[in-house]
Amino acid sequence: MKIFRKLLPLATVAGLLFAAGAAQADVITPFTIKDGTNVLATNVNSLDWAETGSGLAKGIGPFGSPLAVGTKFDFLYQATLVGKAGGTGSPSLGGRLDGEANGSADGLFEITIAARMTEVVSSVVPGPGGTATANFNLAPGQNQVAIYFDTNQNANTATGVGFDDGIMIALLTIDTNSSVFQLLAPNNGQGSARLHAGLLSPGDFIDANYLEGVTSLLFGIDFQSSLNYPADTSTTTGFHRNGSSNNGDPFATDLVAGNDILFKVDGSNRFTRVPEPGTMLLMGIGLLGLARLRRRA
C-alpha cells in the first residue's frame, strides 16, 4: 500500500507537542533572553521559529513509496528564530535579531535550532476512499536538539548552511516521542505528535548566559510547529552543515537525496516549569492542519 502519508506524520506534524508524564501539570514560565552578557528581553512568553524552517525524512521516499510497520527513519529539522512574544522589548529584540535565513546579515546576531531524531512506524490503518492513519514513535538513535547564538548571520535556507554554527547555548536529549498522521486525500493530510527532551545525557546543558531562568528552575519546553509538503520556501539542499564554536558538531551533515522527503516546518515554543526533579524539555509540533503532499521529483 502506498503511503504519501508515510513520512507525513512528521511532515504533517500538525501537533508535535513535546510532553511527558508530569508535563501535563507544567506551568508556563517567563524567561530572559541574553546575548551572553546583556539582557535583551525579560518575562518572555514564547519564541517564534521561522515558517521557512526545513524538515527532512531520510530514506523513506520518493514520496508515495509503501510504508510498513517497523520502518525506521531519521527526521532532521533546522530553522532560525524570527522573534519572541511577550515581555520587554520588541519581537525582534530591538532590531538586533536576524531572522531572514537568506545568508545575508541583517541585525546583530541570529538564533537557530537544529534537531535529529529517529522515528519508527508503529501502525498503519487504511481508511475509506484511499485515506489512512499512520502512527510513529521514537526509536533508539541520536535524538538530540540544539539551539545556537551566532553573530555571523550566515543561516541560509536554500543551502542549509549556518543553522548549527556559532555558540551552542543548549543541547538536550529527546527521550520519548509519538506522532500520528492521517491522509485525508491523495495530496492532503494532517497529524500531531508529542515528544519529550531534557538534560538526560552527559553533555546536555542550557546556558543561562543566553536563556536565563531555564536552568535555574525545572523546565520543559512546549514546542508547537507545523510541517507541510511540499517544502516550497523551506526547500534546501542540506542539513546540519556546520559545527559550533564551543561544543563541537553533534549532527552529521546530510545532503538531500532523491529518496528523502522534504517538508516545510513552522514553529514556536515556550518554556514551562516542570513540577518534579530533572530539567525537561517539551517539544512538539502543534496541530498542523492540512499538509499538502506531493511526489518529490
Side-chain angles (χ1 to χ4, degrees):
M1 174 174 96
K2 301 209 174 208
I3 302 181
F4 296 83
R5 48 226 119 162
K6 75 188 313 175
L7 169 275
L8 299 183
L10 269 318
T12 183
V13 184
L16 230 187
L17 262 189
F18 312 94
Q24 297 177 354
D26 293 350
V27 176
I28 302 303
T29 304
F31 56 97
T32 296
I33 301 175
K34 302 172 69 176
D35 63 3
T37 303
N38 305 301
V39 172
L40 302 177
T42 60
N43 295 313
V44 176
N45 294 322
S46 64
L47 299 178
D48 183 17
W49 300 99
E51 63 177 12
T52 54
S54 305
L56 188 73
K58 294 288 298 178
I60 61 173
F63 194 71
S65 301
L67 185 66
V69 172
T71 298
K72 295 181 181 180
F73 62 92
D74 284 343
F75 184 76
L76 286 57
Y77 170 60
Q78 60 191 23
T80 188
L81 186 71
V82 294
K84 58 86 180 174
T88 60
S90 67
S92 64
L93 301 175
R96 300 179 182 89
L97 180 65
D98 180 357
E100 295 299 318
N102 58 9
S104 299
D106 179 17
L108 300 180
F109 58 82
E110 63 188 9
I111 297 175
T112 55
I113 187 170
R116 186 183 191 113
M117 66 192 82
T118 301
E119 299 286 328
V120 60
V121 182
S122 57
S123 69
V124 178
V125 181
T131 63
T133 300
N135 289 277
F136 305 77
N137 292 318
L138 192 71
Q142 183 177 3
N143 301 324
Q144 289 181 301
V145 57
I147 299 175
Y148 304 81
F149 180 96
D150 192 4
T151 55
N152 178 24
Q153 303 105 282
N154 62 337
N156 189 316
T157 299
T159 63
V161 170
F163 289 95
D164 58 339
D165 61 355
I167 300 172
M168 186 185 296
I169 62 176
L171 179 65
L172 300 102
T173 298
I174 303 167
D175 64 346
T176 60
N177 174 56
S178 63
S179 58
V180 60
F181 175 77
Q182 182 178 23
L183 180 70
L184 302 178
N187 294 313
N188 292 282
Q190 65 181 16
S192 63
R194 274 181 183 274
L195 82 79
H196 168 266
L199 303 176
L200 305 172
S201 301
D204 286 354
F205 72 98
I206 300 175
D207 191 339
N209 291 312
Y210 296 88
L211 296 174
E212 188 176 45
V214 180
T215 53
S216 62
L217 295 174
L218 306 178
F219 276 90
I221 296 178
D222 183 35
F223 186 99
Q224 297 184 335
S225 146
S226 61
L227 292 79
N228 298 273
Y229 182 90
D232 297 324
T233 56
S234 296
T235 298
T236 184
T237 59
F239 283 76
H240 309 156
R241 305 185 75 163
N242 301 97
S244 71
S245 62
N246 64 319
N247 201 43
D249 183 12
F251 304 111
T253 295
D254 271 288
L255 300 181
V256 179
N259 62 343
D260 299 333
I261 300 178
L262 191 62
F263 299 94
K264 182 180 188 63
V265 183
D266 181 12
S268 63
N269 78 265
R270 53 188 178 168
F271 292 92
T272 59
R273 184 163 68 181
V274 180
E276 67 176 15
T279 300
M280 293 191 289
L281 160 43
L282 305 183
M283 302 188 78
I285 293 180
L287 194 82
L288 250 241
L290 298 180
R292 185 163 179 256
L293 317 171
R294 177 184 67 193
R295 181 183 297 275
R296 200 166 164 274

